[in-house]
Amino acid sequence: MFEPTISAGFARALADLAVSKGADREELCRRAGIAAGDLTDQDRRLPLACYAALMREAKAMTGDPALALHFGEAFDITQLSIVGLMGQASDNYADAFEHLGRYVRLAIDVELEEEAEGQRMVIRRDEAGTWLVDMRKNPNDFPELTESSFARMAASSGRAEMSPTFLKAVHFTHAEPPYRDEYERIFNVPLLFESKWNAVLVADDSWMTMRPPTHSAYVLAILRERADALLEALDGAASTRGKLEALLVPLLHTGEARMTNAARRLGVSRASLFRMLRAEGTSFERVLDDLRHRLALRYIVDDKRRVAEAAYLLGFSDPAALSRAFKRWTGKSPREMRG
């Protein structure tokens, strides 16, 4: 089953804005079901449901019903996701739009309409002109995401020194809210609610040839390498192996990291889990061993933890058992590996 996610950078920035407006950070995160540690890594994935809860609770705690609009207005995409940085490093905005199509899932990974063909934003043309259309499925389930995304687009076009008439009109599928005046202030163009689509009408196609102020082929190459790695990790997390690994990490030290327990927690039979992993060319034992190998390197080499502590965290019976496994994985003992 597809589970929409969002990068933690969005949640952290939203929490920062709410706190600046009077919300208590600890209570806000508690109500949204977000742990403090979840927001330390900008690229960490959070369930979109938690982000929606964060938005809902932030609006309530700040007394600002238009908070989503203000969030989009206050934070540029470059502050929230590597996707924005790639756009600013692109040679022109046409290239930036192309990168958006490939990497937008790193910012927000949501279910799309079938005709989207995997693209969150698509270009549509009609008698009115050129539209940038958001292809998110069931957008009215969380209209605040549309509000913040479009408000960010409007604010960003001004920061990029585009023509003040870059946006000609903005359409929303949700009903008109009580704070329409804030829409008017931020967009300053004709608005239509309960439209057939969530879309912005742009002046013409001249924006495609414009260059971002910080375009750099060198920086873009570095960012693309990082983005490809993040995309691979995101796709991996959607696999049976990825889901199994995420489930096993907190179980290792408990001694409960067994196939039967894992299958039950995943909601499948032991035989089904076996077949699912075999279809991906692996097995429960291989996943468990590889996971322990990676974590052992992190704990012992990177974090400089004691072997006894690492053995406990990884679920080994004693430090000697971990040392033997470490020698099998790396050809060296933990002490030799640390130099």
Side-chain angles (χ1 to χ4, degrees):
M1 180 179 177
F2 177 76
E3 297 180 6
T5 61
I6 190 169
S7 71
F10 284 81
R12 184 170 66 189
L14 177 59
D16 288 345
L17 179 63
V19 169
S20 75
K21 289 176 172 283
D24 178 86
R25 187 184 302 274
E26 184 175 342
E27 178 64 14
L28 174 62
C29 290
R30 186 193 67 78
R31 292 185 187 181
I34 297 175
D38 291 341
L39 304 183
T40 56
D41 180 1
Q42 182 126 334
D43 295 321
R44 186 186 182 100
R45 307 305 301 183
L46 296 177
L48 188 64
C50 288
Y51 178 72
L54 183 70
M55 179 68 77
R56 182 176 61 249
E57 296 299 335
K59 290 169 67 173
M61 293 177 72
T62 62
D64 182 3
L67 185 66
L69 289 175
H70 299 150
F71 177 50
E73 185 180 26
F75 287 90
D76 187 74
I77 187 63
T78 58
Q79 300 172 272
L80 308 176
S81 169
I82 191 174
V83 179
L85 294 172
M86 293 179 71
Q88 288 300 298
S90 299
D91 187 59
N92 54 53
Y93 285 107
D95 288 344
F97 192 78
E98 183 177 340
H99 290 133
L100 176 68
R102 172 169 170 75
Y103 296 105
V104 67
R105 293 171 52 225
L106 296 180
I108 306 174
D109 191 19
V110 293
E111 193 171 4
L112 304 177
E113 297 287 355
E114 290 185 9
E115 60 268 29
E117 297 182 350
Q119 301 297 306
R120 168 75 185 277
M121 298 295 295
V122 300
I123 296 175
R124 295 284 186 264
R125 292 182 172 87
D126 62 15
E127 63 280 0
T130 300
W131 296 86
L132 303 182
V133 185
D134 187 344
M135 301 300 290
R136 182 164 58 103
K137 193 172 184 178
N138 302 320
N140 291 355
D141 290 348
F142 186 22
E144 292 90 345
L145 191 58
T146 306
E147 290 183 322
S148 60
S149 297
F150 282 11
R152 186 169 297 113
M153 188 183 301
S156 295
S157 64
R159 284 189 285 263
E161 297 183 352
M162 290 182 174
S163 165
T165 58
F166 171 71
L167 295 184
K168 303 291 288 185
V170 186
H171 285 201
F172 302 93
T173 57
H174 56 266
E176 179 179 323
Y179 45 89
R180 182 188 175 113
D181 57 335
E182 282 300 278
Y183 277 83
E184 299 280 3
R185 180 186 64 81
I186 291 171
F187 295 104
N188 198 31
V189 294
L191 306 171
L192 178 65
F193 295 93
E194 298 185 73
S195 173
K196 65 179 181 180
W197 55 17
N198 288 301
V200 297
L201 177 66
V202 297
D204 52 45
D205 290 347
S206 61
W207 63 275
M208 293 186 178
T209 60
M210 296 178 63
R211 282 194 157 191
T214 57
H215 63 92
S216 168
Y218 175 67
V219 171
L220 181 60
I222 295 173
L223 293 172
R224 187 185 291 119
E225 182 177 358
R226 169 65 173 163
D228 284 336
L230 290 172
L231 201 59
E232 183 178 353
L234 180 60
D235 289 335
S239 66
T240 300
R241 179 180 185 129
K243 293 177 181 177
L244 178 60
E245 287 185 346
L247 184 150
L248 288 175
V249 171
L251 293 180
L252 291 175
H253 76 281
T254 68
E256 297 297 315
R258 297 189 295 270
M259 189 170 184
T260 300
N261 289 337
R264 184 179 68 253
R265 289 168 181 258
L266 289 172
V268 299
S269 68
R270 191 178 189 279
S272 294
L273 179 57
F274 174 83
R275 288 193 297 271
M276 292 160 69
L277 290 171
R278 184 174 62 181
E280 294 180 4
T282 190
S283 65
F284 179 85
E285 293 75 16
R286 173 65 64 82
V287 172
L288 179 60
D289 193 60
D290 288 349
L291 178 62
R292 281 174 158 170
H293 178 189
R294 295 201 313 274
L295 291 177
L297 288 172
R298 181 197 304 174
Y299 293 156
I300 294 172
V301 179
D302 297 337
D303 298 347
K304 309 298 183 185
R305 295 176 186 261
R306 293 181 296 109
V307 174
E309 182 183 3
Y312 165 75
L313 292 172
L314 296 172
F316 283 92
S317 57
D318 54 54
L322 171 56
S323 294
R324 288 192 295 271
F326 203 90
K327 185 86 171 181
R328 171 171 59 83
W329 292 325
T330 68
K332 296 180 180 181
S333 69
R335 178 174 296 180
E336 291 171 329
M337 197 69 177
R338 274 201 290 226

